[in-house]
Amino acid sequence: MCKGHIFFTLVVVNCARGTVSAAIAPFQTLKSMCGTFQIVPGTCYPGGTYKSPTTNGTVTGCCAACAADPQCTHWSVDAVRCPGPKCCDLKSGTPAQPLTSPNCTSGVPTPSPSPPPSAPPPTPRPAPPTPDAPRPHILMVLADDLGFYDTAIYNPRSPTPGIAALASRGMRLDHMYVFRYCSPTRRSFLSGRFPTLISTVQPDGNNMCSNFLPLSFTTLPEKLSSVGYQCHHVGKGHEGYQTTDHLPHNRGFLTHVGYLSGGPLNYFYGSGSPLPFQGVHDLWHDDHPAWDIVPDVFYSANTYASIAVDIIHNFSASAVSADRLFIYLPMQNVHAPYQLPPTWEAADYPEMWDNTYANMLHMLDVAVVNVTTALVDTGLWNNTLVWFSADNGGIGRGNNYPLRGHKHDPWEGGTRATAFVSGGFLPSRLSGTQSGPKLVHISDLYATFCSLAGVDPRDDVFIGGRFRSVDGVNVWPLLTAEDNGTQPRAITPTTEAGIIEVVETPASGRILWKLVTLAGQSNFYTPNQSSIEGHLPCLAGRQPDPPQPNGPYGPGRTDPLVNGGCPVCNATAPCLFSLLDDPTETVNLAQEQPEVVARLVASLSLANQHYVTGSLPLDVLQANYTLLPNRSAYWRGYEGPCWIRKNGSKQ
């Protein structure tokens, strides 16, 4: 039995029989379920049915190529997106082959009349594993504001030997990309969507009560739990919580302990008093504020690691062989404020540039070691995939050496994450290796984890006027290939002002072109964390940041793009870098490669056409939820949602 939800509707789905009973509400949010779909104009469906968006007539046969593909459910056929290797050309009404239709590409489209001669054709999305394929336990560790040079993966003086050991026994991800700041990265991971398409607004303060991770999306834990995974969320949220249905416990996680905001005031007692009902706090436990946990939070990293260890031991003691475990462990470390751990755990690290920061790094290391040790002790390690990543670049006391820039910047220092995969599930031949020029984006983990778990990663949702698909792709075949493999997606937007294209050339091999259309001078780092100002020529002026949704739940971008001095790239004078030759982004090739610039400017413009507004429609809220006039009082001083579900209404 699988389930979906449509606002104002009752949805009953029987996957075994392949039937769907659904009524479409005024708010057109529809999930594709069990291969049966509402016929929507301009969309291709199994069996070759196509409903013309102009005549509204139904035509069969134009999607024969799609219908012949067992992995095909439907392909969007408009000029913005075609999530697959083939689609129906709106002009001719015939199946379009890869890259032959100007209206059809894979992933984020390139709207130029034809692709560059050296660009490879898009690769079909891999089919999920067969039910009897090995399925791993999955531990996802997301470190907050971790600098590229902060850990002993690159910095031998860092007090993080455990993290370095895990990386050395696994595969270091040399080109793992995240958003330039926090929440968009996290929502991209849980939804499989590019941050630029689901809004880059930070759900803090007045934006806390928001729908920036739309309820219509099937989250990653919802996918995994549908095939027998026990899913647990321990740590930072920062996803937006307009209603109680937005809480992690109601979005696929069996259990949840963590804070909801982007940056609590401290690392102790849920960012408040040790007395759980005195003052304000930010900590949640499943379906209620964590007043039962607050008194024991002497330091958040210890608390989260201890909870994760208990989850592992309880799972090992009670699970049957077919069960699998997914732990999402987004740590608070090393986000500001910079605070020493309890005195009995603090130490001196004279070789590091800042002793407090070094202690925070060490506490992150201890937490990761304790959790992975529990996997070893319970016998789960040999079938566990560990994925470790920063959520964005370092800032403040962090160090992104040798990369340019920091958190908030579109430069590599803001978006290229310290990351690795490890664990017993990783093929032994990949132990101690690096991924090299293989590009991975945080959105790809959705499709990758789903495919490894044996569940279809597709999640086609009608929102913003049409069906929207998952942007991420399964990168496991790429990472485990004997050679450089085939990049499953050519173009990846990293920020609103940055985009990367992977191109294969006969003469030079793989090229990673990166376009930056708005950025400040920012800085470089040295190994001791001192700052060096950039040296690109200053521009006379700067364009404003690209627009974001406005309204009560979408006030615009939280963090500016131009940081650290004068603007050096803008829309009229963009910057282009060849990352494999110039990872520090110092040689601007824009004037030498005008065709590449034009192609990527057009693609970036399309990638910025966000479709998430940040709020459920008011009629949906009023029909299904009750607004809390004073949510702080209702939650007794704790952060929490603004709307609670009405008694008897269906989720």
Side-chain angles (χ1 to χ4, degrees):
M1 193 78 173
C2 69
K3 63 182 181 180
H5 54 266
I6 301 176
F7 299 112
F8 276 94
T9 69
L10 176 63
V11 180
V12 180
V13 183
N14 187 317
C15 292
R17 297 181 179 179
T19 61
V20 176
S21 174
I24 307 303
F27 180 50
Q28 296 279 315
T29 301
L30 177 65
K31 290 188 178 182
S32 55
M33 298 169 289
C34 307
T36 302
F37 305 93
Q38 177 81 4
I39 297 296
V40 173
T43 305
C44 172
Y45 296 89
T49 301
Y50 175 76
K51 195 169 187 179
S52 169
T54 55
T55 66
N56 208 36
T58 299
V59 181
T60 59
C62 92
C63 298
C66 177
D69 182 352
Q71 292 303 311
C72 176
T73 53
H74 71 270
W75 303 129
S76 172
V77 290
D78 58 28
V80 178
R81 180 179 306 276
C82 181
K86 45 185 171 286
C87 69
C88 294
D89 191 317
L90 281 175
K91 296 180 180 179
S92 66
T94 59
Q97 296 304 312
L99 295 178
T100 60
S101 168
N103 288 336
C104 180
T105 61
S106 179
V108 174
T110 300
S112 55
S114 61
S118 58
T123 303
R125 184 176 297 172
T130 57
D132 57 351
R135 301 192 307 152
H137 307 291
I138 301 172
L139 170 64
M140 176 64 189
V141 182
L142 201 61
D144 203 347
D145 287 2
L146 184 69
F148 195 76
Y149 195 69
D150 282 352
T151 70
I153 298 173
Y154 300 107
N155 175 12
R157 298 176 297 169
S158 173
T160 54
I163 290 173
L166 284 170
S168 68
R169 296 168 190 162
M171 172 188 282
R172 196 174 71 195
L173 301 179
D174 296 321
H175 289 277
M176 169 82 187
Y177 286 90
V178 292
F179 195 69
R180 62 188 180 94
Y181 50 80
C182 180
S183 176
T185 290
R186 298 164 192 275
R187 291 182 279 120
S188 179
F189 166 68
L190 291 170
S191 70
R193 269 76 176 183
F194 289 143
T196 56
L197 291 175
I198 59 173
S199 170
T200 61
V201 173
Q202 296 266 56
D204 287 311
N206 292 333
N207 297 329
M208 170 73 74
C209 295
S210 55
N211 185 44
F212 285 118
L213 181 61
L215 287 180
S216 53
F217 288 175
T218 304
T219 64
L220 177 60
E222 287 175 316
K223 283 281 191 180
L224 297 181
S225 62
S226 71
V227 289
Y229 275 73
Q230 291 187 18
C231 302
H232 303 269
H233 184 308
V234 186
K236 180 173 180 174
H238 205 194
E239 296 146 17
Y241 309 94
Q242 188 169 30
T243 74
T244 47
D245 286 344
H246 287 81
L247 292 168
H249 188 58
N250 293 323
R251 305 207 67 178
F253 288 107
L254 182 65
T255 66
H256 165 237
V257 174
Y259 56 101
L260 304 185
S261 71
L265 298 177
N266 61 62
Y267 280 70
F268 310 96
Y269 306 115
S271 191
S273 166
L275 302 176
F277 297 113
Q278 179 174 304
V280 297
H281 296 83
D282 184 7
L283 197 67
W284 205 269
H285 182 196
D286 292 344
D287 59 356
H288 61 276
W291 43 67
D292 50 337
I293 295 176
V294 159
D296 298 323
V297 185
F298 299 108
Y299 190 79
S300 68
N302 291 342
T303 299
Y304 298 147
S306 177
I307 291 171
V309 167
D310 287 344
I311 288 171
I312 292 167
H313 282 280
N314 292 335
F315 174 87
S316 176
S318 61
V320 298
S321 59
D323 291 340
R324 291 294 182 267
L325 181 64
F326 169 56
I327 298 179
Y328 175 39
L329 188 62
M331 300 294 291
Q332 183 175 354
N333 298 59
V334 284
H335 194 288
Y338 303 114
Q339 296 176 320
L340 286 169
T343 54
W344 61 86
E345 293 184 287
D348 291 326
Y349 299 102
E351 293 187 343
M352 287 289 286
W353 54 84
D354 184 274
N355 193 61
T356 297
Y357 194 71
N359 273 272
M360 296 171 71
L361 288 166
H362 180 65
M363 296 304 292
L364 172 66
D365 190 71
V366 170
V368 172
V369 168
N370 287 341
V371 174
T372 52
T373 298
L375 291 167
V376 174
D377 292 343
T378 55
L380 301 178
W381 176 259
N382 288 341
N383 192 38
T384 294
L385 174 65
V386 177
W387 198 300
F388 179 98
S389 177
D391 68 333
N392 45 249
I395 195 170
R397 301 186 191 183
N399 190 344
N400 298 311
Y401 173 82
L403 304 178
R404 180 177 197 149
H406 48 72
K407 177 184 178 181
H408 307 305
D409 286 337
W411 302 115
E412 293 287 276
T415 61
R416 183 175 165 188
T418 294
F420 63 85
V421 290
S422 191
F425 182 80
L426 187 73
S428 58
R429 61 181 173 80
L430 298 178
S431 178
T433 62
Q434 298 173 223
S435 63
K438 301 175 180 180
L439 188 146
V440 178
H441 187 263
I442 187 68
S443 64
D444 297 332
L445 274 62
Y446 183 100
T448 301
F449 290 175
C450 283
S451 297
L452 290 174
V455 60
D456 193 323
R458 286 170 299 192
D459 183 43
D460 303 304
V461 177
F462 196 84
I463 184 172
R466 63 183 180 84
F467 277 101
R468 313 286 180 163
S469 302
V470 167
D471 300 300
V473 294
N474 178 12
V475 294
W476 196 245
L478 172 71
L479 294 177
T480 56
E482 297 280 357
D483 52 15
N484 283 341
T486 301
Q487 194 72 40
R489 181 186 56 243
I491 296 178
T492 301
T494 54
T495 71
E496 321 92 311
I499 193 165
I500 297 176
E501 180 183 32
V502 181
V503 176
E504 303 287 353
T505 65
S508 305
R510 184 166 293 175
I511 298 175
L512 268 60
W513 291 118
K514 179 178 178 180
L515 181 80
V516 179
T517 58
L518 187 61
Q521 190 73 266
S522 199
N523 66 287
F524 295 92
Y525 294 84
T526 66
N528 67 1
Q529 211 257 344
S530 59
S531 179
I532 302 173
E533 186 177 350
H535 60 273
L536 288 176
C538 290
L539 301 176
R542 56 161 286 190
Q543 279 83 12
D545 288 352
Q548 283 284 279
N550 293 312
Y553 296 96
R557 180 170 290 98
T558 307
D559 304 77
L561 280 156
V562 176
N563 303 294
C566 66
V568 296
C569 311
N570 64 20
T572 55
C575 299
L576 181 72
F577 305 98
S578 178
L579 292 179
L580 297 183
D581 298 323
D582 181 23
T584 57
E585 300 170 293
T586 58
V587 181
N588 184 4
L589 301 175
Q591 292 186 356
E592 300 175 26
Q593 300 287 340
E595 293 182 359
V596 176
V597 170
R599 185 168 70 241
L600 294 183
V601 164
S603 294
L604 184 58
S605 175
L606 292 174
N608 278 324
Q609 295 179 2
H610 52 81
Y611 53 81
V612 171
T613 64
S615 178
L616 294 171
L618 184 60
D619 56 349
V620 172
L621 288 168
Q622 292 175 340
N624 294 277
Y625 304 94
T626 299
L627 177 64
L628 300 177
N630 187 337
R631 65 185 175 101
S632 179
Y634 184 87
W635 300 122
R636 303 192 67 177
Y638 286 73
E639 283 283 9
C642 289
W643 297 75
I644 59 173
R645 180 165 281 282
K646 293 181 178 180
N647 292 335
S649 62
K650 293 184 179 294
Q651 178 176 333

